[in-house]
Amino acid sequence: MHSILVTPAIVVRSWSFGESDKIVSFLTAEYGKVTGIAKGAKRSRRRFVNTLEPFSLVQLSFRDRPHTTLAFIHACDLIRPHKNLTTSLEKIACASYLMEVTDAFATEREESRSLFDHLKEGLIWVEDRGPSHSFLAFYELKLLGLAGYQPALESCRRCRRTRAGNSPGHWRFSARDGGLLCASCSALRKEAVPLSAEAIEVLVAVQRAKSILSDHASFSSAALTEGRSVLRHFIQFQTSRELKSASFLDTSSLTW
Ligand SMILES: [Zn+2]
């Protein structure tokens, strides 16, 4: 018999399984991604009272089962329901994106407390203050750093030429190289994306920031949008995933 493991966790997804059960996937502090079966969760709401809703922060108790990666969910105690996250379409879209993009970097059963904490703080931020592009840029850059892919933005990734003193506006971002390339080096990388001097400055400023930014009136929205588009492309490249909620953020008529 496997022993019961207990860890703080965030509910990422849940779906029905058979007549009465639910399958639930979590990002946990101690064990990375965990997917388990909640027996009777559809029929008896008493055992899992509103604790299997996406975004919920819970204390998860589970145990492994023989011959399957699907854990048995023993109990799920609510720590923070994030009720105000579901009050607007903007918040739901943004919170879904945070979960998808963070989950993409996490691994099954590999401790990932820093990713868990980052997501936990991000969801609280969106719930309390609502989404913004500068917040999302901060979230994405910090996430890349935590996952070991902090983009190189100060100098050319190949020849080490620094941006200072070199012609601005001729730099490109190469996802494969993990950062900027100068004009001559990017000739070798047809897929590298041009990045304006202003967008680079925005990304550098956000990357240097110590905490999640509340607002950046000095950033033009065009530069932020351009910088974030490169970050998202980089994240998709590193995780080999298409981010479904990202396209929803683009296509929905969000006002922020
Ligand atoms: Zn170069």
Side-chain angles (χ1 to χ4, degrees):
M1 185 81 162
H2 293 277
S3 55
I4 290 178
L5 305 171
V6 180
T7 176
I10 293 164
V11 178
V12 176
R13 276 181 295 276
S14 70
W15 57 97
S16 296
F17 185 74
E19 294 266 298
S20 55
D21 305 337
K22 275 190 170 183
I23 307 279
V24 193
S25 70
F26 302 87
L27 180 66
T28 75
E30 308 283 342
Y31 307 99
K33 288 202 263 197
V34 171
T35 303
I37 184 161
K39 289 275 186 190
K42 265 176 76 186
R43 279 210 178 130
S44 159
R45 299 203 173 267
R46 246 176 303 154
R47 235 179 109 215
F48 298 102
V49 188
N50 298 327
T51 58
L52 303 178
E53 303 302 319
F55 315 130
S56 294
L57 176 63
V58 298
Q59 185 79 337
L60 168 68
S61 308
F62 70 99
R63 65 178 157 76
D64 285 316
R65 303 187 306 159
H67 317 301
T68 173
T69 54
L70 199 61
F72 179 84
I73 300 172
H74 189 73
C76 211
D77 298 314
L78 199 58
I79 299 172
R80 184 178 173 127
H82 286 303
K83 272 190 189 143
N84 289 329
L85 263 181
T86 50
T87 53
S88 80
L89 194 59
E90 284 88 350
K91 286 184 178 181
I92 293 171
C94 186
S96 303
Y97 175 70
L98 298 190
M99 294 221 296
E100 184 180 7
V101 80
T102 313
D103 187 62
F105 282 109
T107 310
E108 296 272 347
R109 302 305 171 92
E110 199 174 286
E111 193 254 318
S112 54
R113 183 171 281 280
S114 60
L115 292 182
F116 170 82
D117 286 341
H118 190 45
L119 178 60
K120 187 174 92 173
E121 287 165 16
L123 291 176
I124 290 172
W125 176 277
V126 175
E127 180 172 39
D128 291 347
R129 305 189 187 213
S132 72
H133 287 292
S134 54
F135 160 73
L136 283 172
F138 177 88
Y139 191 91
E140 290 162 332
L141 275 165
K142 187 168 177 198
L143 177 66
L144 282 162
L146 291 172
Y149 301 110
Q150 178 161 308
L153 300 169
E154 304 288 358
S155 59
C156 176
R157 196 82 170 125
R158 291 171 79 92
C159 72
R160 307 292 167 198
R161 184 181 300 174
T162 55
R163 277 192 304 119
N166 284 292
S167 54
H170 291 93
W171 292 80
R172 286 174 175 255
F173 189 90
S174 165
R176 192 184 301 187
D177 295 284
L180 294 179
L181 295 181
C182 69
S184 46
C185 291
S186 59
L188 305 167
R189 285 264 189 259
K190 294 277 182 280
E191 73 276 20
V193 185
L195 201 54
S196 70
E198 196 185 1
I200 296 173
E201 290 308 329
V202 167
L203 293 182
V204 167
V206 174
Q207 195 171 60
R208 283 184 187 150
K210 291 275 182 289
S211 65
I212 294 177
L213 307 169
S214 53
D215 68 327
H216 270 267
S218 57
F219 293 163
S220 82
S221 63
L224 253 179
T225 306
E226 185 190 349
R228 284 208 52 233
S229 143
V230 162
L231 290 179
R232 189 186 301 171
H233 172 68
F234 187 38
I235 290 170
Q236 293 192 144
F237 178 86
Q238 291 298 354
T239 59
S240 308
R241 272 209 208 182
E242 192 186 339
L243 299 167
K244 291 180 198 138
S245 52
S247 48
F248 178 70
L249 276 179
D250 291 338
T251 53
S252 59
S253 54
L254 302 183
T255 51
W256 42 281

